[in-house]
């Protein structure tokens, strides 16, 4: 029995005349991910559905489903079996393909979609025939037209009949690569991978920038960031990670600037470096994991001072979220256990005892003059 995946792209249906462009990007992303981790597939666009069909035998179909579930731009998808355009084959495939699932529940209903109007049975007739066959062979089942445990769907299309159970929820959002490129500042904590995941969900590609303060931060701290990038890449696709040596700059700030301004000045210099990396890699904005008031450097006044150091937009997807909400997403995407590994990053060393929580831009710029030639 041949199995395929039927992908529904949801939000892309609203794109009008540009829809095919977004669908092509989605297909490209699915193809790249599947070839990298599973094998070769054929992709066919048909009536708001993308049919994903394996080209090779003995592919790991469970792995393919896992990969598809993490591709942004997919509202939902279904594992489906192919049947001939013959009533007996449709009934037999429905029973053999979904039988185990149906035996594990109490109620079901059949939903038929007949886009091929040449098929001899109408949709209601097909529902009755398939439903009766399932009831005869699985006595424990009951029909429930309003709130069934499983909806058995029979789709009669031009070339094939597809039979599947309940739709699986997809990652949602827009296909990565459809909305530009940004540079994400990744510290190694919980927040920045969540911010990266959230912005990628809107179709944005990532360049990641990590500041490494050797020997005050260990190689394991850097490797932790690379692990987080690999986790994000399962959703966001390919990510380049730029590791910036930051020790000399931090030591200069500590030596020359007032202690209570250290964190904000450090963040401003990070933003300047990240901006250069962004521009060099055709990224149009910076992304951080900051949320208002979470720590001293994330007060409204501090954020204003930080943003003024660069000439490109700074987006903060987590800006209005509390820690519990951020942790929930971190666990959802599989980043939490890596994020809480106890390796210090450059943002957690050299922290002043009494940081200024409401700095003014004039104060910060005056303190920065003590560094001399920042460039």
């Amino acid at each position: 029995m041949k199995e395929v995946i039927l992908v529904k792209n949801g939000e892309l249906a609203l794109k009008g005349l540009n829809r095919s462009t977004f669908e092509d990007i989605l297909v490209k992303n699915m193809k790249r991910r599947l070839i990298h981790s599973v094998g070769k597939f054929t992709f066919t666009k048909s009536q708001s559905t993308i049919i994903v069909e394996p080209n090779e035998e003995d592919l790991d179909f469970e792995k393919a489903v896992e990969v598809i579930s993490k591709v942004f731009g997919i509202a939902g998808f279904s594992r489906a079996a192919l049947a001939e355009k013959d009533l007996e084959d449709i009934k037999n495939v429905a029973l053999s393909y979904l039988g185990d699932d149906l035996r594990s529940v109490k109620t079901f209903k059949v939903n038929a979609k007949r886009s091929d109007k040449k098929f001899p049975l109408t949709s209601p007739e097909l529902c009755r025939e398939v439903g009766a066959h399932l009831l005869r062979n699985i006595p424990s089942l009951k029909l429930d037209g309003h709130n069934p445990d499983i909806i058995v769907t029979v789709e009669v299309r031009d070339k094939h009949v597809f039979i599947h159970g309940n739709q699986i929820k997809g990652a949602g959002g827009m296909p990565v690569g459809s909305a530009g490129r940004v540079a994400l500042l990744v510290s190694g904590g919980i927040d920045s991978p969540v911010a990266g995941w959230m912005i990628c969900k809107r179709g944005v590609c990532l360049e990641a920038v990590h500041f490494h303060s050797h020997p005050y931060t260990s190689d394991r701290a850097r490797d932790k960031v690379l692990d987080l990038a690999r986790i994000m890449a399962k959703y966001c696709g390919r990510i380049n990670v730029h590791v910036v040596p930051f020790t000399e700059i931090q030591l200069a700030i500590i030596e020359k600037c007032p202690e209570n301004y250290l964190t904000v000045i450090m963040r401003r210099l990070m933003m300047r470096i990240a901006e250069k990396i962004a521009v060099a890699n055709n990224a149009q904005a910076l992304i951080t994991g900051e949320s208002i008031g979470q720590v001293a450097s994330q007060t409204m006044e501090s954020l204003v001072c930080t943003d003024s150091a660069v000439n490109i937009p700074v987006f903060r997807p987590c800006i209005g979220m509390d820690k519990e909400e951020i942790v929930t997403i971190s666990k959802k995407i599989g980043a939490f256990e890596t994020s809480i590994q106890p390796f210090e990053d450059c943002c957690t060393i050299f922290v002043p005892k009494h940081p200024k929580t409401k700095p003014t831009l004039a104060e910060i710029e005056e303190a920065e003059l003590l560094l001399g030639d920042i460039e």
Side-chain angles (χ1 to χ4, degrees), residues 29 258 366:
N29 291 345
E366 183 178 354

Side-chain angles (χ1 to χ4, degrees), residues 23-79:
E23 288 181 335
D24 289 343
I25 296 172
L26 176 57
V27 168
K28 180 181 177 181
N29 291 345
M30 288 192 289
K31 182 180 294 185
R32 184 187 298 117
R33 307 272 187 89
L34 288 169
I35 287 176
H36 177 71
S37 55
V38 184
K40 294 182 179 180
F41 289 74
T42 296
F43 300 82
T44 306
K45 295 189 288 185
S46 175
Q47 300 170 346
S48 301
T49 302
I50 300 172
I51 303 165
V52 184
E53 186 175 351
N55 284 351
E56 309 166 29
E57 294 183 0
D58 301 323
L59 287 177
D60 188 343
F61 207 80
E62 295 292 338
K63 179 67 174 176
V65 169
E66 180 187 350
V67 170
I68 290 293
S69 71
K70 295 177 180 177
V71 176
F72 288 131
I74 298 174
F77 62 96
S78 304
R79 299 176 63 159

Side-chain angles (χ1 to χ4, degrees), residues 85-195:
K85 286 189 174 181
D86 172 78
L87 178 59
E88 290 304 312
D89 192 57
I90 292 171
K91 292 192 295 186
N92 292 334
V93 170
L95 179 62
S96 60
Y97 185 62
L98 297 174
D100 289 343
D101 292 337
L102 290 166
R103 292 183 183 93
S104 67
V105 300
K106 295 181 179 179
T107 61
F108 82 111
K109 78 171 185 177
V110 180
N111 181 26
K113 301 177 181 180
R114 190 176 62 105
S115 59
D116 180 7
K117 303 305 180 184
K118 296 179 181 178
F119 190 75
L121 275 70
T122 64
S123 295
E125 290 170 342
L126 191 53
C127 289
R128 285 196 297 270
E129 291 287 343
V130 174
H133 184 70
L134 295 175
L135 286 170
R136 283 193 297 269
N137 287 275
I138 308 177
S140 60
L141 271 181
K142 292 183 179 179
L143 280 171
D144 184 343
H146 300 289
N147 190 30
D149 296 320
I150 290 181
I151 299 175
V152 177
T153 301
V154 180
E155 298 188 36
V156 182
R157 296 185 176 237
D158 292 340
K159 295 181 179 180
H160 300 288
V161 177
F162 300 104
I163 298 171
H164 59 87
N166 292 343
Q167 188 176 87
I168 303 167
K169 185 175 177 59
M174 301 294 293
V176 173
S178 64
R181 181 176 295 273
V182 297
L184 169 71
L185 281 72
V186 185
S187 64
I190 297 171
D191 304 336
S192 50
V194 171

